[in-house]
Amino acid sequence: MVLLFSCLIPLCSVGNAQENSGSANSGKKLKLNLGADLVSRYVWRGTDFGNSPAIQPTLSLSGKNLEIGCWSSVSTNNSLREIDLFAIYSIRNFSLMVTDYYVPETNGLPAAPDIRYFAFNDKNTAHSLEASLQYKGDENFPISLIGGVFVYGNDKRWGYDSSKDSTSATYYSTYFEAGYTLVLQDNNLDFFVGITPGAGAYGPRAGFVNLGITAYRTIRISETFELPVKGSLVLNPQASNVFFVLGITI
């Protein structure tokens, strides 16, 4: 569903800055971010979506404290398609994010009663709206924290609460994550721990759902071109599952 709007992050990935443009009205610079990740698996918050390699493009426009954009994931076996719209407002080390996750199908089956894009009825829509808050420290305090909760849409019918399932009530699925970044020989290592406080989108009960480490490295292809590469070892204790994901950014 990635986080970001996995992002996107995860949380949200916002792509690589490719072009700057000026605003005629405000005189402030705008930045166009355009990029894509190629990943061996789409694993988001401890769950594998698509069961195949995936292509994940990002397009966003940012200026001053605000970024608005789109992130998508398409599995190579056509089992999952996701398109997310996001808005991020940042003040110093804090970012407030609103993400609209649109996932019409999972494993080739409809993910909601009404999978049309412009269907927004809370009981039937394939859209899920999440509000989240992130803190990201600087190099002197390399700690990151994020918390997010689904507040509208397709956070329903998980099968864990009969009273909610029978009325298509929202589970308000919630996720918290803490991370620590270690710089090792000019490469970053991100350690992360993610939990959910109750049954919902991430599992049948409260518990740890996303533990692991992500390593980042840049491979020099030529004097003018470098290829960012990342590898993640992800464990989901609640689901007794483990993943190793390799990704490159273009």
Side-chain angles (χ1 to χ4, degrees), residues 8-34:
L8 302 77
I9 335 230
L11 117 56
C12 294
S13 297
V14 294
N16 299 318
Q18 300 291 332
E19 179 179 340
N20 292 333
S21 61
S23 171
N25 295 327
S26 64
K28 299 183 184 298
K29 289 185 177 180
L30 298 177
K31 180 184 292 184
L32 179 64
N33 307 297
L34 177 62

mmCIF file with all atom_site columns, all heavy atoms in Angstrom, residues 8-34:
data_model
loop_
_atom_site.group_PDB
_atom_site.id
_atom_site.type_symbol
_atom_site.label_atom_id
_atom_site.label_alt_id
_atom_site.label_comp_id
_atom_site.label_asym_id
_atom_site.label_entity_id
_atom_site.label_seq_id
_atom_site.pdbx_PDB_ins_code
_atom_site.Cartn_x
_atom_site.Cartn_y
_atom_site.Cartn_z
_atom_site.occupancy
_atom_site.B_iso_or_equiv
_atom_site.pdbx_formal_charge
_atom_site.auth_seq_id
_atom_site.auth_comp_id
_atom_site.auth_asym_id
_atom_site.auth_atom_id
_atom_site.pdbx_PDB_model_num
ATOM 1   N N   . LEU A 1 8  ? 7.246  7.339  0.719   1.00 0.00 ? 8  LEU A N   1
ATOM 2   C CA  . LEU A 1 8  ? 7.167  7.113  0.650   1.00 0.00 ? 8  LEU A CA  1
ATOM 3   C C   . LEU A 1 8  ? 8.406  6.994  0.703   1.00 0.00 ? 8  LEU A C   1
ATOM 4   O O   . LEU A 1 8  ? 9.013  7.110  0.839   1.00 0.00 ? 8  LEU A O   1
ATOM 5   C CB  . LEU A 1 8  ? 7.016  6.764  0.339   1.00 0.00 ? 8  LEU A CB  1
ATOM 6   C CG  . LEU A 1 8  ? 6.570  7.112  0.168   1.00 0.00 ? 8  LEU A CG  1
ATOM 7   C CD1 . LEU A 1 8  ? 6.292  7.618  -0.160  1.00 0.00 ? 8  LEU A CD1 1
ATOM 8   C CD2 . LEU A 1 8  ? 6.078  7.770  0.190   1.00 0.00 ? 8  LEU A CD2 1
ATOM 9   N N   . ILE A 1 9  ? 8.165  6.713  1.517   1.00 0.00 ? 9  ILE A N   1
ATOM 10  C CA  . ILE A 1 9  ? 8.420  6.523  1.732   1.00 0.00 ? 9  ILE A CA  1
ATOM 11  C C   . ILE A 1 9  ? 8.681  5.891  1.769   1.00 0.00 ? 9  ILE A C   1
ATOM 12  O O   . ILE A 1 9  ? 8.685  6.736  1.466   1.00 0.00 ? 9  ILE A O   1
ATOM 13  C CB  . ILE A 1 9  ? 8.191  7.081  2.222   1.00 0.00 ? 9  ILE A CB  1
ATOM 14  C CG1 . ILE A 1 9  ? 8.056  7.401  1.946   1.00 0.00 ? 9  ILE A CG1 1
ATOM 15  C CG2 . ILE A 1 9  ? 7.972  6.406  2.141   1.00 0.00 ? 9  ILE A CG2 1
ATOM 16  C CD1 . ILE A 1 9  ? 8.156  7.847  1.927   1.00 0.00 ? 9  ILE A CD1 1
ATOM 17  N N   . PRO A 1 10 ? 8.982  3.518  1.342   1.00 0.00 ? 10 PRO A N   1
ATOM 18  C CA  . PRO A 1 10 ? 8.787  3.722  2.193   1.00 0.00 ? 10 PRO A CA  1
ATOM 19  C C   . PRO A 1 10 ? 9.252  4.546  2.231   1.00 0.00 ? 10 PRO A C   1
ATOM 20  O O   . PRO A 1 10 ? 9.323  3.991  1.618   1.00 0.00 ? 10 PRO A O   1
ATOM 21  C CB  . PRO A 1 10 ? 9.452  2.784  2.094   1.00 0.00 ? 10 PRO A CB  1
ATOM 22  C CG  . PRO A 1 10 ? 9.172  2.316  1.580   1.00 0.00 ? 10 PRO A CG  1
ATOM 23  C CD  . PRO A 1 10 ? 9.215  3.246  0.949   1.00 0.00 ? 10 PRO A CD  1
ATOM 24  N N   . LEU A 1 11 ? 9.551  6.158  4.036   1.00 0.00 ? 11 LEU A N   1
ATOM 25  C CA  . LEU A 1 11 ? 8.121  6.060  4.262   1.00 0.00 ? 11 LEU A CA  1
ATOM 26  C C   . LEU A 1 11 ? 7.532  6.330  2.974   1.00 0.00 ? 11 LEU A C   1
ATOM 27  O O   . LEU A 1 11 ? 6.939  5.519  2.358   1.00 0.00 ? 11 LEU A O   1
ATOM 28  C CB  . LEU A 1 11 ? 7.852  7.084  5.270   1.00 0.00 ? 11 LEU A CB  1
ATOM 29  C CG  . LEU A 1 11 ? 6.977  8.190  4.916   1.00 0.00 ? 11 LEU A CG  1
ATOM 30  C CD1 . LEU A 1 11 ? 5.825  7.909  4.495   1.00 0.00 ? 11 LEU A CD1 1
ATOM 31  C CD2 . LEU A 1 11 ? 7.069  9.217  5.757   1.00 0.00 ? 11 LEU A CD2 1
ATOM 32  N N   . CYS A 1 12 ? 7.851  7.482  2.697   1.00 0.00 ? 12 CYS A N   1
ATOM 33  C CA  . CYS A 1 12 ? 7.507  7.877  1.341   1.00 0.00 ? 12 CYS A CA  1
ATOM 34  C C   . CYS A 1 12 ? 8.818  8.057  0.607   1.00 0.00 ? 12 CYS A C   1
ATOM 35  O O   . CYS A 1 12 ? 9.642  8.795  1.052   1.00 0.00 ? 12 CYS A O   1
ATOM 36  C CB  . CYS A 1 12 ? 6.787  9.191  1.298   1.00 0.00 ? 12 CYS A CB  1
ATOM 37  S SG  . CYS A 1 12 ? 5.214  9.234  2.021   1.00 0.00 ? 12 CYS A SG  1
ATOM 38  N N   . SER A 1 13 ? 8.972  7.449  -0.550  1.00 0.00 ? 13 SER A N   1
ATOM 39  C CA  . SER A 1 13 ? 10.077 7.753  -1.428  1.00 0.00 ? 13 SER A CA  1
ATOM 40  C C   . SER A 1 13 ? 9.632  8.879  -2.328  1.00 0.00 ? 13 SER A C   1
ATOM 41  O O   . SER A 1 13 ? 8.568  8.838  -2.901  1.00 0.00 ? 13 SER A O   1
ATOM 42  C CB  . SER A 1 13 ? 10.430 6.534  -2.267  1.00 0.00 ? 13 SER A CB  1
ATOM 43  O OG  . SER A 1 13 ? 10.862 5.482  -1.437  1.00 0.00 ? 13 SER A OG  1
ATOM 44  N N   . VAL A 1 14 ? 10.473 9.899  -2.453  1.00 0.00 ? 14 VAL A N   1
ATOM 45  C CA  . VAL A 1 14 ? 10.063 11.061 -3.237  1.00 0.00 ? 14 VAL A CA  1
ATOM 46  C C   . VAL A 1 14 ? 10.901 11.243 -4.488  1.00 0.00 ? 14 VAL A C   1
ATOM 47  O O   . VAL A 1 14 ? 10.834 12.281 -5.141  1.00 0.00 ? 14 VAL A O   1
ATOM 48  C CB  . VAL A 1 14 ? 10.125 12.341 -2.372  1.00 0.00 ? 14 VAL A CB  1
ATOM 49  C CG1 . VAL A 1 14 ? 9.101  12.251 -1.264  1.00 0.00 ? 14 VAL A CG1 1
ATOM 50  C CG2 . VAL A 1 14 ? 11.507 12.576 -1.803  1.00 0.00 ? 14 VAL A CG2 1
ATOM 51  N N   . GLY A 1 15 ? 11.716 10.253 -4.839  1.00 0.00 ? 15 GLY A N   1
ATOM 52  C CA  . GLY A 1 15 ? 12.424 10.320 -6.105  1.00 0.00 ? 15 GLY A CA  1
ATOM 53  C C   . GLY A 1 15 ? 13.660 11.191 -6.054  1.00 0.00 ? 15 GLY A C   1
ATOM 54  O O   . GLY A 1 15 ? 14.053 11.701 -5.018  1.00 0.00 ? 15 GLY A O   1
ATOM 55  N N   . ASN A 1 16 ? 14.285 11.379 -7.212  1.00 0.00 ? 16 ASN A N   1
ATOM 56  C CA  . ASN A 1 16 ? 15.492 12.170 -7.335  1.00 0.00 ? 16 ASN A CA  1
ATOM 57  C C   . ASN A 1 16 ? 15.182 13.497 -7.981  1.00 0.00 ? 16 ASN A C   1
ATOM 58  O O   . ASN A 1 16 ? 14.424 13.576 -8.929  1.00 0.00 ? 16 ASN A O   1
ATOM 59  C CB  . ASN A 1 16 ? 16.534 11.437 -8.197  1.00 0.00 ? 16 ASN A CB  1
ATOM 60  C CG  . ASN A 1 16 ? 16.924 10.108 -7.588  1.00 0.00 ? 16 ASN A CG  1
ATOM 61  O OD1 . ASN A 1 16 ? 17.104 10.027 -6.396  1.00 0.00 ? 16 ASN A OD1 1
ATOM 62  N ND2 . ASN A 1 16 ? 17.037 9.075  -8.421  1.00 0.00 ? 16 ASN A ND2 1
ATOM 63  N N   . ALA A 1 17 ? 15.791 14.548 -7.478  1.00 0.00 ? 17 ALA A N   1
ATOM 64  C CA  . ALA A 1 17 ? 15.590 15.868 -8.063  1.00 0.00 ? 17 ALA A CA  1
ATOM 65  C C   . ALA A 1 17 ? 16.225 15.900 -9.445  1.00 0.00 ? 17 ALA A C   1
ATOM 66  O O   . ALA A 1 17 ? 17.397 15.618 -9.607  1.00 0.00 ? 17 ALA A O   1
ATOM 67  C CB  . ALA A 1 17 ? 16.230 16.927 -7.174  1.00 0.00 ? 17 ALA A CB  1
ATOM 68  N N   . GLN A 1 18 ? 15.438 16.252 -10.446 1.00 0.00 ? 18 GLN A N   1
ATOM 69  C CA  . GLN A 1 18 ? 15.932 16.257 -11.819 1.00 0.00 ? 18 GLN A CA  1
ATOM 70  C C   . GLN A 1 18 ? 15.900 17.651 -12.440 1.00 0.00 ? 18 GLN A C   1
ATOM 71  O O   . GLN A 1 18 ? 16.629 17.920 -13.385 1.00 0.00 ? 18 GLN A O   1
ATOM 72  C CB  . GLN A 1 18 ? 15.079 15.315 -12.681 1.00 0.00 ? 18 GLN A CB  1
ATOM 73  C CG  . GLN A 1 18 ? 15.090 13.875 -12.200 1.00 0.00 ? 18 GLN A CG  1
ATOM 74  C CD  . GLN A 1 18 ? 16.424 13.231 -12.407 1.00 0.00 ? 18 GLN A CD  1
ATOM 75  O OE1 . GLN A 1 18 ? 17.166 13.600 -13.302 1.00 0.00 ? 18 GLN A OE1 1
ATOM 76  N NE2 . GLN A 1 18 ? 16.750 12.280 -11.566 1.00 0.00 ? 18 GLN A NE2 1
ATOM 77  N N   . GLU A 1 19 ? 15.047 18.517 -11.937 1.00 0.00 ? 19 GLU A N   1
ATOM 78  C CA  . GLU A 1 19 ? 14.874 19.794 -12.616 1.00 0.00 ? 19 GLU A CA  1
ATOM 79  C C   . GLU A 1 19 ? 14.365 20.832 -11.646 1.00 0.00 ? 19 GLU A C   1
ATOM 80  O O   . GLU A 1 19 ? 13.558 20.544 -10.788 1.00 0.00 ? 19 GLU A O   1
ATOM 81  C CB  . GLU A 1 19 ? 13.874 19.629 -13.769 1.00 0.00 ? 19 GLU A CB  1
ATOM 82  C CG  . GLU A 1 19 ? 13.596 20.896 -14.535 1.00 0.00 ? 19 GLU A CG  1
ATOM 83  C CD  . GLU A 1 19 ? 12.614 20.653 -15.665 1.00 0.00 ? 19 GLU A CD  1
ATOM 84  O OE1 . GLU A 1 19 ? 12.458 19.511 -16.086 1.00 0.00 ? 19 GLU A OE1 1
ATOM 85  O OE2 . GLU A 1 19 ? 11.993 21.617 -16.104 1.00 0.00 ? 19 GLU A OE2 1
ATOM 86  N N   . ASN A 1 20 ? 14.849 22.048 -11.765 1.00 0.00 ? 20 ASN A N   1
ATOM 87  C CA  . ASN A 1 20 ? 14.348 23.164 -10.985 1.00 0.00 ? 20 ASN A CA  1
ATOM 88  C C   . ASN A 1 20 ? 13.630 24.136 -11.897 1.00 0.00 ? 20 ASN A C   1
ATOM 89  O O   . ASN A 1 20 ? 14.005 24.337 -13.035 1.00 0.00 ? 20 ASN A O   1
ATOM 90  C CB  . ASN A 1 20 ? 15.500 23.915 -10.287 1.00 0.00 ? 20 ASN A CB  1
ATOM 91  C CG  . ASN A 1 20 ? 16.146 23.077 -9.204  1.00 0.00 ? 20 ASN A CG  1
ATOM 92  O OD1 . ASN A 1 20 ? 15.504 22.203 -8.636  1.00 0.00 ? 20 ASN A OD1 1
ATOM 93  N ND2 . ASN A 1 20 ? 17.411 23.343 -8.918  1.00 0.00 ? 20 ASN A ND2 1
ATOM 94  N N   . SER A 1 21 ? 12.572 24.741 -11.375 1.00 0.00 ? 21 SER A N   1
ATOM 95  C CA  . SER A 1 21 ? 11.877 25.765 -12.139 1.00 0.00 ? 21 SER A CA  1
ATOM 96  C C   . SER A 1 21 ? 11.481 26.874 -11.205 1.00 0.00 ? 21 SER A C   1
ATOM 97  O O   . SER A 1 21 ? 11.309 26.675 -10.017 1.00 0.00 ? 21 SER A O   1
ATOM 98  C CB  . SER A 1 21 ? 10.634 25.185 -12.820 1.00 0.00 ? 21 SER A CB  1
ATOM 99  O OG  . SER A 1 21 ? 9.732  24.694 -11.859 1.00 0.00 ? 21 SER A OG  1
ATOM 100 N N   . GLY A 1 22 ? 11.306 28.085 -11.724 1.00 0.00 ? 22 GLY A N   1
ATOM 101 C CA  . GLY A 1 22 ? 10.945 29.225 -10.912 1.00 0.00 ? 22 GLY A CA  1
ATOM 102 C C   . GLY A 1 22 ? 9.469  29.508 -10.977 1.00 0.00 ? 22 GLY A C   1
ATOM 103 O O   . GLY A 1 22 ? 8.808  29.255 -11.969 1.00 0.00 ? 22 GLY A O   1
ATOM 104 N N   . SER A 1 23 ? 8.911  30.029 -9.890  1.00 0.00 ? 23 SER A N   1
ATOM 105 C CA  . SER A 1 23 ? 7.516  30.434 -9.848  1.00 0.00 ? 23 SER A CA  1
ATOM 106 C C   . SER A 1 23 ? 7.412  31.906 -10.179 1.00 0.00 ? 23 SER A C   1
ATOM 107 O O   . SER A 1 23 ? 7.994  32.746 -9.505  1.00 0.00 ? 23 SER A O   1
ATOM 108 C CB  . SER A 1 23 ? 6.934  30.159 -8.456  1.00 0.00 ? 23 SER A CB  1
ATOM 109 O OG  . SER A 1 23 ? 5.661  30.725 -8.344  1.00 0.00 ? 23 SER A OG  1
ATOM 110 N N   . ALA A 1 24 ? 6.673  32.229 -11.204 1.00 0.00 ? 24 ALA A N   1
ATOM 111 C CA  . ALA A 1 24 ? 6.561  33.615 -11.646 1.00 0.00 ? 24 ALA A CA  1
ATOM 112 C C   . ALA A 1 24 ? 5.831  34.471 -10.626 1.00 0.00 ? 24 ALA A C   1
ATOM 113 O O   . ALA A 1 24 ? 6.076  35.661 -10.511 1.00 0.00 ? 24 ALA A O   1
ATOM 114 C CB  . ALA A 1 24 ? 5.830  33.669 -12.983 1.00 0.00 ? 24 ALA A CB  1
ATOM 115 N N   . ASN A 1 25 ? 4.934  33.858 -9.840  1.00 0.00 ? 25 ASN A N   1
ATOM 116 C CA  . ASN A 1 25 ? 4.140  34.628 -8.901  1.00 0.00 ? 25 ASN A CA  1
ATOM 117 C C   . ASN A 1 25 ? 4.881  34.897 -7.604  1.00 0.00 ? 25 ASN A C   1
ATOM 118 O O   . ASN A 1 25 ? 4.867  36.007 -7.086  1.00 0.00 ? 25 ASN A O   1
ATOM 119 C CB  . ASN A 1 25 ? 2.827  33.899 -8.597  1.00 0.00 ? 25 ASN A CB  1
ATOM 120 C CG  . ASN A 1 25 ? 1.952  33.799 -9.826  1.00 0.00 ? 25 ASN A CG  1
ATOM 121 O OD1 . ASN A 1 25 ? 1.957  34.687 -10.661 1.00 0.00 ? 25 ASN A OD1 1
ATOM 122 N ND2 . ASN A 1 25 ? 1.202  32.701 -9.939  1.00 0.00 ? 25 ASN A ND2 1
ATOM 123 N N   . SER A 1 26 ? 5.534  33.880 -7.057  1.00 0.00 ? 26 SER A N   1
ATOM 124 C CA  . SER A 1 26 ? 6.138  34.037 -5.741  1.00 0.00 ? 26 SER A CA  1
ATOM 125 C C   . SER A 1 26 ? 7.623  34.343 -5.791  1.00 0.00 ? 26 SER A C   1
ATOM 126 O O   . SER A 1 26 ? 8.190  34.845 -4.824  1.00 0.00 ? 26 SER A O   1
ATOM 127 C CB  . SER A 1 26 ? 5.937  32.762 -4.929  1.00 0.00 ? 26 SER A CB  1
ATOM 128 O OG  . SER A 1 26 ? 6.635  31.696 -5.547  1.00 0.00 ? 26 SER A OG  1
ATOM 129 N N   . GLY A 1 27 ? 8.282  34.017 -6.899  1.00 0.00 ? 27 GLY A N   1
ATOM 130 C CA  . GLY A 1 27 ? 9.711  34.217 -6.983  1.00 0.00 ? 27 GLY A CA  1
ATOM 131 C C   . GLY A 1 27 ? 10.490 33.139 -6.262  1.00 0.00 ? 27 GLY A C   1
ATOM 132 O O   . GLY A 1 27 ? 11.705 33.179 -6.212  1.00 0.00 ? 27 GLY A O   1
ATOM 133 N N   . LYS A 1 28 ? 9.818  32.153 -5.662  1.00 0.00 ? 28 LYS A N   1
ATOM 134 C CA  . LYS A 1 28 ? 10.478 31.081 -4.945  1.00 0.00 ? 28 LYS A CA  1
ATOM 135 C C   . LYS A 1 28 ? 10.699 29.910 -5.897  1.00 0.00 ? 28 LYS A C   1
ATOM 136 O O   . LYS A 1 28 ? 9.874  29.626 -6.742  1.00 0.00 ? 28 LYS A O   1
ATOM 137 C CB  . LYS A 1 28 ? 9.644  30.649 -3.738  1.00 0.00 ? 28 LYS A CB  1
ATOM 138 C CG  . LYS A 1 28 ? 9.423  31.758 -2.722  1.00 0.00 ? 28 LYS A CG  1
ATOM 139 C CD  . LYS A 1 28 ? 8.650  31.246 -1.535  1.00 0.00 ? 28 LYS A CD  1
ATOM 140 C CE  . LYS A 1 28 ? 8.348  32.377 -0.547  1.00 0.00 ? 28 LYS A CE  1
ATOM 141 N NZ  . LYS A 1 28 ? 9.574  32.946 -0.016  1.00 0.00 ? 28 LYS A NZ  1
ATOM 142 N N   . LYS A 1 29 ? 11.818 29.228 -5.711  1.00 0.00 ? 29 LYS A N   1
ATOM 143 C CA  . LYS A 1 29 ? 12.151 28.130 -6.593  1.00 0.00 ? 29 LYS A CA  1
ATOM 144 C C   . LYS A 1 29 ? 11.286 26.917 -6.299  1.00 0.00 ? 29 LYS A C   1
ATOM 145 O O   . LYS A 1 29 ? 11.023 26.567 -5.157  1.00 0.00 ? 29 LYS A O   1
ATOM 146 C CB  . LYS A 1 29 ? 13.624 27.765 -6.437  1.00 0.00 ? 29 LYS A CB  1
ATOM 147 C CG  . LYS A 1 29 ? 14.566 28.807 -7.014  1.00 0.00 ? 29 LYS A CG  1
ATOM 148 C CD  . LYS A 1 29 ? 15.995 28.331 -6.930  1.00 0.00 ? 29 LYS A CD  1
ATOM 149 C CE  . LYS A 1 29 ? 16.935 29.348 -7.567  1.00 0.00 ? 29 LYS A CE  1
ATOM 150 N NZ  . LYS A 1 29 ? 18.354 28.900 -7.490  1.00 0.00 ? 29 LYS A NZ  1
ATOM 151 N N   . LEU A 1 30 ? 10.859 26.260 -7.342  1.00 0.00 ? 30 LEU A N   1
ATOM 152 C CA  . LEU A 1 30 ? 10.175 24.988 -7.248  1.00 0.00 ? 30 LEU A CA  1
ATOM 153 C C   . LEU A 1 30 ? 11.111 23.904 -7.756  1.00 0.00 ? 30 LEU A C   1
ATOM 154 O O   . LEU A 1 30 ? 11.959 24.148 -8.613  1.00 0.00 ? 30 LEU A O   1
ATOM 155 C CB  . LEU A 1 30 ? 8.892  24.998 -8.074  1.00 0.00 ? 30 LEU A CB  1
ATOM 156 C CG  . LEU A 1 30 ? 7.813  25.998 -7.677  1.00 0.00 ? 30 LEU A CG  1
ATOM 157 C CD1 . LEU A 1 30 ? 6.641  25.915 -8.647  1.00 0.00 ? 30 LEU A CD1 1
ATOM 158 C CD2 . LEU A 1 30 ? 7.346  25.744 -6.255  1.00 0.00 ? 30 LEU A CD2 1
ATOM 159 N N   . LYS A 1 31 ? 10.956 22.720 -7.218  1.00 0.00 ? 31 LYS A N   1
ATOM 160 C CA  . LYS A 1 31 ? 11.804 21.606 -7.623  1.00 0.00 ? 31 LYS A CA  1
ATOM 161 C C   . LYS A 1 31 ? 10.922 20.480 -8.129  1.00 0.00 ? 31 LYS A C   1
ATOM 162 O O   . LYS A 1 31 ? 9.964  20.078 -7.471  1.00 0.00 ? 31 LYS A O   1
ATOM 163 C CB  . LYS A 1 31 ? 12.647 21.126 -6.451  1.00 0.00 ? 31 LYS A CB  1
ATOM 164 C CG  . LYS A 1 31 ? 13.578 19.953 -6.805  1.00 0.00 ? 31 LYS A CG  1
ATOM 165 C CD  . LYS A 1 31 ? 14.326 19.454 -5.588  1.00 0.00 ? 31 LYS A CD  1
ATOM 166 C CE  . LYS A 1 31 ? 15.323 20.496 -5.112  1.00 0.00 ? 31 LYS A CE  1
ATOM 167 N NZ  . LYS A 1 31 ? 16.123 19.966 -3.969  1.00 0.00 ? 31 LYS A NZ  1
ATOM 168 N N   . LEU A 1 32 ? 11.262 19.980 -9.295  1.00 0.00 ? 32 LEU A N   1
ATOM 169 C CA  . LEU A 1 32 ? 10.567 18.824 -9.856  1.00 0.00 ? 32 LEU A CA  1
ATOM 170 C C   . LEU A 1 32 ? 11.373 17.584 -9.549  1.00 0.00 ? 32 LEU A C   1
ATOM 171 O O   . LEU A 1 32 ? 12.546 17.482 -9.907  1.00 0.00 ? 32 LEU A O   1
ATOM 172 C CB  . LEU A 1 32 ? 10.412 18.981 -11.372 1.00 0.00 ? 32 LEU A CB  1
ATOM 173 C CG  . LEU A 1 32 ? 9.717  17.827 -12.102 1.00 0.00 ? 32 LEU A CG  1
ATOM 174 C CD1 . LEU A 1 32 ? 8.266  17.700 -11.644 1.00 0.00 ? 32 LEU A CD1 1
ATOM 175 C CD2 . LEU A 1 32 ? 9.793  18.028 -13.605 1.00 0.00 ? 32 LEU A CD2 1
ATOM 176 N N   . ASN A 1 33 ? 10.752 16.636 -8.853  1.00 0.00 ? 33 ASN A N   1
ATOM 177 C CA  . ASN A 1 33 ? 11.413 15.388 -8.480  1.00 0.00 ? 33 ASN A CA  1
ATOM 178 C C   . ASN A 1 33 ? 10.841 14.261 -9.332  1.00 0.00 ? 33 ASN A C   1
ATOM 179 O O   . ASN A 1 33 ? 9.629  14.028 -9.318  1.00 0.00 ? 33 ASN A O   1
ATOM 180 C CB  . ASN A 1 33 ? 11.176 15.080 -7.002  1.00 0.00 ? 33 ASN A CB  1
ATOM 181 C CG  . ASN A 1 33 ? 11.562 16.247 -6.114  1.00 0.00 ? 33 ASN A CG  1
ATOM 182 O OD1 . ASN A 1 33 ? 12.718 16.641 -6.061  1.00 0.00 ? 33 ASN A OD1 1
ATOM 183 N ND2 . ASN A 1 33 ? 10.583 16.812 -5.426  1.00 0.00 ? 33 ASN A ND2 1
ATOM 184 N N   . LEU A 1 34 ? 11.694 13.590 -10.065 1.00 0.00 ? 34 LEU A N   1
ATOM 185 C CA  . LEU A 1 34 ? 11.265 12.527 -10.956 1.00 0.00 ? 34 LEU A CA  1
ATOM 186 C C   . LEU A 1 34 ? 12.253 11.376 -10.875 1.00 0.00 ? 34 LEU A C   1
ATOM 187 O O   . LEU A 1 34 ? 13.454 11.580 -11.025 1.00 0.00 ? 34 LEU A O   1
ATOM 188 C CB  . LEU A 1 34 ? 11.171 13.030 -12.399 1.00 0.00 ? 34 LEU A CB  1
ATOM 189 C CG  . LEU A 1 34 ? 10.792 12.006 -13.471 1.00 0.00 ? 34 LEU A CG  1
ATOM 190 C CD1 . LEU A 1 34 ? 9.403  11.439 -13.207 1.00 0.00 ? 34 LEU A CD1 1
ATOM 191 C CD2 . LEU A 1 34 ? 10.870 12.639 -14.855 1.00 0.00 ? 34 LEU A CD2 1
#
